[in-house]
Amino acid sequence: MYGRILKIYPGSLAEELELVPGDKLLEINGTRLRDIIDVSFAFADEEIEMLVEHEDGQQEVYEFDKDYDEELGVEFESAVFDGIRHCANNCLFCFVDQVAPDMRESLNIKDDDYRMSFLYGNFITMTNMVDADFQRIKQYHLSPLFVSVQCTNPDLRQKLLRCRTAGNLAAQLDKLEAADVEYHTQIVLCRDLNDGEELERSLRDIVARQPHALSVAIVPVGLTRFRQDCYPLKSFDKESAARVVEQVEAYQRQQREKDGRTFIYLADEFYLLAGRELPPAEYYDGFPQLDNGIGLARNFMEEFAAAVAEADDSKAALAAHKQQDNRDNRAKLRLAVVSGTSISPLMAELAESISGGAGEQVTMVPVPNHHFGTTVNVSGLLTAKDMLAALQDVAGKVDGILIPESALRTGDNVFLDDVSLSDFCARLPCRVETVGSGREYFHALTDWENYSGVGDTAASYMWQSNAAYTKRGGM
């Protein structure tokens, strides 16, 4: 086991030691390294003996003193050196099993690794964990974790996950709590399976586990046209989504009356499907599960509103800009805004809110997801091919196009169907920019000439919901 170095940070201890990309970190103070967690804890010592293997196979020992909080200053090729731990389940609703055969290979990885849960917030079922894993979690106090509960009925959980150890959830949560480990939870809600009375039971059981249980996220099952599992799962519709909203709102009110926190949160899709107004920002308690599709739309709206408030007399500036356009006999700036079908009405509403004429300048392009199936309606799962098809009749009639940053792989500017952003832009006759946050959206609409979609990584998921599947990565 080793950590292969991908990058050396300038001015770092690693640079001083003359380490280079490609070097393999094998041991620190006699500790064999399984992942960056081991590296972090071993490197906390002030006296370091570090075993490194260079690319030519030669091994070298580095001995040095350092400050307690001084880091090595490297980026590894992977956060885990002994390989990602794969999922032991065969879930009825697994989104990975529904990915198209021609998509990039990384989308087919079924990870279920408690280390990735601690490091990056990936949800885990814990069905592949053994006593040694819980001992390590306790030893290093790896908290908080993110746990896919799905339901607390042991028999039903075994059925949903199709794994014989899935019924051990309560005992496993007991172990986490005995180690004083906190955890966020997720329920992938499957219509007519773990909703209704089963959801009631699950919520009661998780609420009772406070304060170690930090939150509950309820997300709808995501179904694509590539699903081959014969089990008859059904997507939520307006009526069934409304039932879920009403059921959960009752628990939310109880929780807020009890301790001032909502604790139980619904994915945006439920409100959008049901035609219900999104909860106010304070109901999300700081958005603890934003990456999981919880409060994305409200957070986007809050960012947009903040940008409006910060702009110096923005409406007057827009009016003056329009008057200047009229004096110069110039046509209005025309922009096309691309998004998933679920969020498009909200994008239109925001555009209208900043000027009465924005609706005449901005063309919404809600993109049906023909690749995964039209029941998948979020921006983060759009392909370049579907977006180009939707823009076919629009691109030549606008001055610029805004596309969701969440449809791109972070850092690589590549779409799900392996089309690069540069190739995508080359196929369109006008300027294309990405938008990842409400703040960026405001600036694109009000100052297109100076706007640049630089890609705010902290907001790169703002138009995305995981559709019942969360995958995060990166170092």
Side-chain angles (χ1 to χ4, degrees), residues 299-318 346-356 358 437-447:
N299 190 65
F300 193 95
M301 294 165 68
E302 291 294 306
E303 290 181 327
F304 190 90
V308 172
E310 292 168 8
D312 293 331
D313 205 6
S314 59
K315 290 189 177 181
L318 286 171
L346 172 61
M347 308 304 290
E349 181 181 334
L350 294 177
E352 288 281 2
S353 71
I354 57 174
S355 79
S437 70
R439 190 178 298 275
E440 290 179 3
Y441 187 45
F442 171 79
H443 290 303
L445 295 181
T446 58
D447 193 16

Side-chain angles (χ1 to χ4, degrees), residues 27-39:
E27 293 183 5
I28 296 177
N29 291 348
T31 299
R32 299 294 292 185
L33 305 173
R34 293 162 288 184
D35 46 48
I36 63 174
I37 298 172
D38 276 342
V39 173

Side-chain angles (χ1 to χ4, degrees), residues 109-376:
I109 298 174
K110 291 186 179 183
D111 63 285
D112 197 10
D113 196 316
Y114 72 89
R115 299 168 297 179
M116 301 297 283
S117 182
F118 170 70
L119 292 168
Y120 304 120
N122 288 18
F123 278 90
I124 54 172
T125 64
M126 302 195 294
T127 57
N128 60 3
M129 290 173 60
V130 295
D131 286 342
D133 299 320
F134 288 99
Q135 291 168 6
R136 189 175 187 229
I137 289 170
K138 180 179 180 179
Q139 176 189 0
Y140 288 154
H141 195 245
L142 303 183
S143 179
L145 297 178
F146 294 75
V147 179
S148 278
V149 169
Q150 320 314 15
C151 67
T152 56
N153 178 335
D155 294 334
L156 179 58
R157 194 168 191 260
Q158 283 186 332
K159 176 181 178 180
L160 288 173
L161 275 57
R162 289 192 287 209
C163 178
R164 64 179 180 83
T165 60
N168 299 333
L169 176 68
Q172 292 173 322
L173 293 179
D174 288 344
K175 290 181 181 179
L176 295 183
E177 293 168 13
D180 198 26
V181 170
E182 297 176 320
Y183 51 88
H184 296 276
T185 65
Q186 170 186 257
I187 294 174
V188 176
L189 205 61
C190 300
R191 189 174 164 189
D192 300 332
L193 277 174
N194 60 339
D195 57 352
E197 292 183 4
E198 289 295 344
L199 179 58
E200 295 268 355
R201 172 177 175 168
S202 297
L203 293 179
R204 287 196 304 269
D205 290 345
I206 299 172
V207 165
R209 287 186 173 272
Q210 296 181 92
H212 288 96
L214 299 176
S215 67
V216 184
I218 305 171
V219 299
V221 64
L223 304 177
T224 82
R225 69 184 180 92
F226 296 101
R227 183 173 187 271
Q228 309 219 343
D229 197 301
C230 61
Y231 195 92
L233 290 177
K234 295 184 290 186
S235 298
F236 284 91
D237 55 18
K238 183 174 183 177
E239 182 180 350
S240 55
R243 286 197 300 269
V244 173
V245 172
E246 291 168 2
Q247 180 181 21
V248 171
E249 282 181 341
Y251 274 90
Q252 291 174 329
R253 287 192 295 269
Q254 292 174 15
Q255 285 299 115
R256 292 192 69 81
E257 289 172 3
K258 176 184 174 184
D259 58 16
R261 291 181 61 246
T262 305
F263 184 74
I264 303 164
Y265 312 99
L266 280 171
D268 296 350
E269 290 98 319
F270 285 111
Y271 298 105
L272 296 173
L273 271 174
R276 301 293 184 88
E277 185 176 349
L278 293 164
E282 55 266 26
Y283 257 63
Y284 292 100
D285 303 319
F287 300 95
Q289 292 216 36
L290 194 64
D291 290 3
N292 198 22
I294 306 300
L296 293 179
R298 175 55 69 185
N299 190 65
F300 193 95
M301 294 165 68
E302 291 294 306
E303 290 181 327
F304 190 90
V308 172
E310 292 168 8
D312 293 331
D313 205 6
S314 59
K315 290 189 177 181
L318 286 171
H321 180 71
K322 288 195 290 182
Q323 290 173 5
Q324 182 65 40
D325 282 347
N326 292 334
R327 284 194 297 270
D328 295 344
N329 293 318
R330 293 185 301 199
K332 292 178 180 178
L333 183 69
R334 302 164 301 172
L335 298 177
V337 177
V338 175
S339 71
T341 55
S342 64
I343 204 67
S344 186
L346 172 61
M347 308 304 290
E349 181 181 334
L350 294 177
E352 288 281 2
S353 71
I354 57 174
S355 79
E360 300 170 10
Q361 300 173 15
V362 178
T363 299
M364 294 296 151
V365 185
V367 181
N369 198 322
H370 296 297
H371 188 93
F372 282 106
T374 54
T375 57
V376 177

